[in-house]
Amino acid sequence: MGDPENRKSRREYKVSVFGDGGVGKSCLAIQYSQSIYNDDYDPTMEDSHRKQTVVDNDTALMDILDTAAQEELEHEASTYHRTRGKDGFMLVYSIANKKSFEKITELHQLILRQTEKKSAPIVLVGNKTDLDSERQVTFEEGHALAETLGGKFLETSAKNRVNVDECFTELIREIRRCDPGYQAPEPPKKAGLCASCAIM
């Protein structure tokens, strides 16, 4: 059966990863869930990945929907399952592709329309920092957009596993922060000295 307190604190987080084609959505999800870099992943496939982790002393089971090649803006009706029932969203662009960055605002608006909410827990990710010599989007531009959207911002490299865990960790924190019913577990108690040890 396990520890009741451990079961109480455990929670499944359903998230979707959105972004233009070729920005590395699948690579990020696979690198996070399997610690594998797969540059040959079929971008037309839609897949899900799961990983159990611990964030701030609380267990979380991540259920990650890796959305397929970017058709969301043209076919909103087909994206219902990609947004409804999701706890949070990761919006990904490539720092070496300005067009993918410019689509982020449209994707964010799509999410708000589909969820019928004024805001949603998000993390904005500028992926492919391994292509810094080809950079088209500055760190400052990414940070400013994240502030406008009301979310956190990180730059990552799925290829070199830079900030991959961190971007999903921040998404969990954003979801918890926006959840009025979430209660953080009490920090573990430090073992005290026994009376005989204290005397010595």
Side-chain angles (χ1 to χ4, degrees):
M1 296 285 291
D3 181 0
E5 286 301 317
N6 193 33
R7 292 201 308 274
K8 182 179 179 182
S9 66
R10 189 185 308 271
R11 180 180 171 186
E12 183 173 354
Y13 295 85
K14 294 180 179 294
V15 303
S16 286
V17 183
F18 282 88
D20 205 5
V23 299
K25 301 186 298 293
S26 299
C27 291
L28 280 170
I30 295 172
Q31 181 69 275
Y32 175 67
S33 60
Q34 303 176 39
S35 297
I36 297 172
Y37 178 70
N38 185 357
D39 198 27
D40 297 325
Y41 193 83
D42 185 351
T44 64
M45 293 179 61
E46 185 166 283
D47 204 356
S48 61
H49 310 272
R50 291 169 69 85
K51 179 178 179 177
Q52 183 171 300
T53 187
V54 177
V55 176
D56 301 328
N57 298 315
D58 201 356
T59 303
L61 178 61
M62 292 287 282
D63 188 337
I64 306 161
L65 178 64
D66 168 24
T67 60
Q70 201 59 40
E71 299 173 351
E72 287 87 354
L73 298 177
E74 293 79 13
H75 305 287
E76 289 196 30
S78 67
T79 66
Y80 183 88
H81 73 287
R82 301 177 186 178
T83 55
R84 294 300 179 97
K86 298 298 185 291
D87 299 300
F89 304 91
M90 186 172 291
L91 302 178
V92 184
Y93 68 90
S94 165
I95 68 160
N97 185 332
K98 188 78 170 184
K99 181 181 176 182
S100 68
F101 176 73
E102 293 170 345
K103 278 198 173 182
I104 292 295
T105 299
E106 296 176 80
L107 288 171
H108 183 247
Q109 292 173 349
L110 168 67
I111 290 169
L112 297 184
R113 286 197 302 270
Q114 292 280 28
T115 58
E116 299 180 347
K117 294 181 179 179
K118 293 183 178 180
S119 63
I122 68 161
V123 168
L124 177 63
V125 174
N127 191 35
K128 299 194 177 183
T129 56
D130 48 284
L131 298 179
D132 194 62
S133 62
E134 303 173 32
R135 179 184 287 270
Q136 297 179 10
V137 184
T138 67
F139 179 91
E140 290 74 18
E141 286 176 310
H143 187 269
L145 179 57
E147 286 192 333
T148 300
L149 301 180
K152 297 292 185 179
F153 172 66
L154 293 95
E155 287 193 340
T156 64
S157 169
K159 182 177 182 178
N160 295 333
R161 198 176 176 81
V162 175
N163 280 341
V164 173
D165 291 348
E166 287 80 357
C167 65
F168 286 96
T169 293
E170 285 302 320
L171 184 53
I172 291 174
R173 287 178 176 148
E174 282 296 287
I175 294 169
R176 290 173 176 172
R177 184 181 64 81
C178 297
D179 181 2
Y182 175 73
Q183 292 184 346
E186 293 184 5
K189 296 180 180 179
K190 294 183 179 180
L193 293 175
C194 63
S196 59
C197 294
I199 295 174
M200 293 175 66

